Amino acid sequence: MTAVIEVDHLTKRYRETLALDDVTVTFAENAITGLLGRNGAGKTTLMSIITAQNFATQGTVRAFGAEPYENAAVLSRMCFVRESQQYQDESKPHHAFAAARMFFANWDQQLAESLVEEFRLPMNRTIKKLSRGQLSAVGVIIGIASRAEITFFDEPYLGLDAVARQVFYDRLLADYASHPRTIVLSSHLIDEIAHLIENVVVIDDGRIIVDTDAESLRGEATTIVGERSAVETFTLGRRVIHTDALGNTMAATVLGQLTEADRHALTQAGLDTEPVSLQQLVVRMTQHAHQTSPMNGASR
Amino acid sequence: MVEEGRAIFLQIAQSVEDAILDGSLAEEAQAPSTNELAAFHRINPATAAKGINLLVDKGVLQKRRGIGMFVATGAREALLTERRTGFADRFLDPLLAEARAIGLSPADVADLIHQRTTSTPDPRSTP
């Protein structure tokens, strides 16, 4: 893997709040990475510092091997679609697109126009009169049509209905397939994006707690369900990240891939297994993060 | 279409294998491309490529430079052998475990299988 963004010991402090705490992470070139975490975990802060829209307290950021801050050569190759993007009051969507067209060398006008149609974006309305979903569509269209070498989508779906979100995912995937580039997708709707992402970075409380490829995370947790004492026997010595109990039945979510021997032992003990989705896994890990040590894939 | 908890690239590889096994993807025919699989299953193209590469490593698919992926000659026979070898582990063990839990002996299970196969004819053997 080639790293196109390198973040090294990055710390960001807002008065008493530590938004990023000694973060070291890289983003792979031409891959789609999911940047996941709870509200206030530090996702937006991290993306805004990488795109030089915010200052680091300590540490360094490099994109394309250079510091982005006041570096037009780097910044013109990055697009940051913010959840709360500000536009000039009286401007209309086509003004925003015209500005993007001037800034991004790879801007594809035809692609932008076809997206405007698919999102049914009213082009003659001023941006401040757009609905929340239409406003999000403006950002999504800029993010896709800019074809920037690095594109950040920070929860780009606010107000978009299920149909419009599916349009976004499908068009993003199709355009990425024909024009591979680095995409960082921050989202709370993890189930919706789980299949789109190649890498996963989970940030919690300003710290990176997961940094691995999505495929190795899949099957990395399993919920073991059955009679309490049998579950307890099987999970002894394993890393249990969550348990639920109902009477004498217990469900324990354990980390670690199950081996053939494990599966055999489970069958023998009459225990059932349930898959754990990426969303459930991230919820469990960020819920119990303070008892869980960082999990980093050896494959990266 | 894609289920949770199991590596997607394995599921993609298996879906291609299933198509070869049931004959909808013939030997020597061109296999779907990475981007076609990615778009159809709505997954990351790198994941689809990983599934395809698995089948290339297994010798099920062959890369023809500049053209695409093709089903190897003899792939169906090899897959049949592999699936038959794993049949007992995948299907019989859980079946017998459930039978034991509800008090059915292996002989009872064999009888049930016999009854079922005589009352519901194999769809492929009916004219």
Side-chain angles (χ1 to χ4, degrees), chain A residues 166-285:
Chain A
Q166 194 61 60
V167 168
F168 167 51
Y169 303 137
D170 287 354
R171 296 301 300 257
L172 179 68
L173 201 55
D175 203 59
Y176 167 76
S178 57
H179 296 82
R181 54 200 195 261
T182 305
I183 289 164
V184 178
L185 193 52
S186 157
S187 180
H188 289 297
L189 305 175
I190 303 175
D191 278 340
E192 289 191 358
I193 64 157
H195 299 163
L196 306 187
I197 58 182
E198 188 175 344
N199 301 315
V200 181
V201 171
V202 181
I203 184 164
D204 192 56
D205 230 354
R207 267 170 268 175
I208 306 290
I209 60 164
V210 175
D211 176 7
T212 186
D213 63 289
E215 284 288 73
S216 67
L217 213 51
R218 200 169 289 280
E220 183 58 42
T222 312
T223 300
I224 312 293
V225 188
E227 196 253 324
R228 179 187 292 270
S229 63
V231 172
E232 282 171 348
T233 306
F234 181 83
T235 57
L236 195 69
R238 293 174 196 270
R239 277 172 58 197
V240 178
I241 55 170
H242 188 79
T243 55
D244 282 313
L246 177 66
N248 197 33
T249 301
M250 186 170 171
T253 303
V254 295
L255 286 183
Q257 301 270 354
L258 295 181
T259 62
E260 277 305 308
D262 287 336
R263 300 220 171 259
H264 189 72
L266 286 166
T267 311
Q268 290 299 313
L271 294 174
D272 289 326
T273 59
E274 282 172 12
V276 176
S277 72
L278 184 63
Q279 173 153 315
Q280 289 172 306
L281 180 59
V282 170
V283 166
R284 293 310 181 209
M285 293 185 86

Side-chain angles (χ1 to χ4, degrees), chain A residues 120-188:
Chain A
R120 299 181 185 171
L121 185 65
M123 292 293 279
N124 290 323
R125 207 172 290 172
T126 58
I127 285 181
K128 69 175 174 185
K129 289 200 175 137
L130 295 181
S131 72
R132 180 64 246 196
Q134 290 165 337
L135 189 62
S136 291
V138 173
V140 161
I141 292 168
I142 291 174
I144 298 177
S146 69
R147 292 221 175 113
E149 286 162 77
I150 302 175
T151 307
F152 296 90
F153 288 99
D154 188 7
E155 293 177 38
Y157 47 72
L158 280 189
L160 291 182
D161 61 25
V163 174
R165 292 204 302 278
Q166 194 61 60
V167 168
F168 167 51
Y169 303 137
D170 287 354
R171 296 301 300 257
L172 179 68
L173 201 55
D175 203 59
Y176 167 76
S178 57
H179 296 82
R181 54 200 195 261
T182 305
I183 289 164
V184 178
L185 193 52
S186 157
S187 180
H188 289 297

Side-chain angles (χ1 to χ4, degrees), chain A residues 11-29:
Chain A
T11 294
K12 176 67 183 181
R13 190 185 289 279
Y14 298 104
R15 294 178 189 275
E16 295 306 302
T17 316
L18 199 53
L20 293 174
D21 183 5
D22 197 29
V23 166
T24 296
V25 69
T26 60
F27 292 90
E29 187 172 30

